[in-house]
Amino acid sequence: MGDLIIAVGSARKPKLAAVREAVDGMLDLLPAGTSIEIVGVEVESGVNHTPLRREESMRGARQRAETLMLIAREEAKPWNYFVGLEGGLDSVMEDGVRRVFLESWAYVSDGTRGHFGRSGAIELPVALAEEVFVQGIELSIAIDQFAGEAGIRDAQGAWGVLSANKITRQEAFRVALIAAFAPFFNSNAYRTSVVAKI
């Protein structure tokens, strides 16, 4: 029976639950009897509270994981994987109109190599996009005001509000995590020697 310890750069319940759900969904790919422990460590992302570009969200996720790697080296932690999660915005111009999307990003490293994964994206209503993208209000504050509720970030998240709870924040991170773990559990597809023949 093996032990697998996954460190996550957050102590927030939706993020930790997303990691648990993603990993539980991959148990059939691990040796029988593998036990999994998930450790949440609150670390800074090094980016804005609400990243406004895809690249910033990716950087925030990666920096969370890299901070965990530093902690593991300095404190001799027996962590096997390092996970950074970051939600943020991305915008595109389409027919002269700015469209702003919410995305969830994951970065997973085994200490040697790392990979990104992303959820889908959901478009923000114009009024909400204006508050966050233009006025600079943090999404967690703006979504509470928008929905007339409190603490949405630690519940269904903006994803839940915008999708009528068909996709929650946890679910968006779960999808991103499976995508980021894919090169580790599906290594045959990610071998550098594999070249597609047309």
Side-chain angles (χ1 to χ4, degrees):
M1 178 156 116
D3 293 322
L4 196 60
I5 305 174
I6 301 172
V8 182
S10 177
R12 294 204 171 275
K13 287 181 183 176
K15 289 185 175 182
L16 296 175
V19 175
R20 171 54 64 191
E21 192 176 351
V23 170
D24 284 351
M26 296 181 284
L27 282 176
D28 61 322
L29 303 170
L30 300 172
T34 300
S35 68
I36 297 172
E37 180 182 353
I38 296 169
V39 179
V41 180
E42 199 61 52
V43 298
E44 292 296 320
S45 68
V47 298
N48 289 316
H49 283 290
T50 305
L52 300 180
R53 292 181 26 235
R54 171 177 295 183
E55 296 82 3
E56 187 180 7
S57 296
M58 292 172 73
R59 189 170 64 251
R62 184 179 197 145
Q63 288 176 170
R64 286 181 191 271
E66 288 174 346
T67 299
L68 292 171
M69 286 184 257
L70 287 173
I71 292 169
R73 276 195 290 273
E74 291 171 359
E75 300 179 13
K77 298 288 187 184
W79 301 334
N80 304 103
Y81 288 96
F82 308 89
V83 173
L85 299 169
E86 195 69 39
L89 305 180
D90 195 30
S91 73
V92 296
M93 293 301 289
E94 190 245 350
D95 291 333
V97 175
R98 178 182 303 281
R99 295 185 179 271
V100 179
F101 295 89
L102 174 62
E103 300 177 338
S104 298
W105 282 88
Y107 181 80
V108 176
S109 175
D110 63 1
T112 302
R113 60 190 176 116
H115 301 281
F116 286 101
R118 184 188 67 129
S119 65
I122 189 165
E123 189 171 359
L124 267 64
V126 173
L128 185 58
E130 170 76 20
E131 283 188 39
V132 180
F133 199 81
V134 178
Q135 296 178 23
I137 298 172
E138 186 179 336
L139 180 60
S140 63
I141 295 168
I143 197 67
D144 281 0
Q145 294 169 350
F146 181 81
E149 297 178 34
I152 289 173
R153 174 171 63 177
D154 290 322
Q156 77 270 34
W159 276 96
V161 170
L162 298 176
S163 71
N165 289 317
K166 299 298 181 193
I167 305 170
T168 63
R169 182 177 193 218
Q170 179 177 325
E171 172 65 10
F173 278 127
R174 185 191 71 82
V175 169
L177 282 155
I178 290 173
F181 269 113
F184 295 104
F185 68 74
N186 193 16
S187 57
N188 286 341
Y190 287 87
R191 286 184 312 203
T192 55
S193 61
V194 174
V195 177
K197 293 183 181 176
I198 299 174

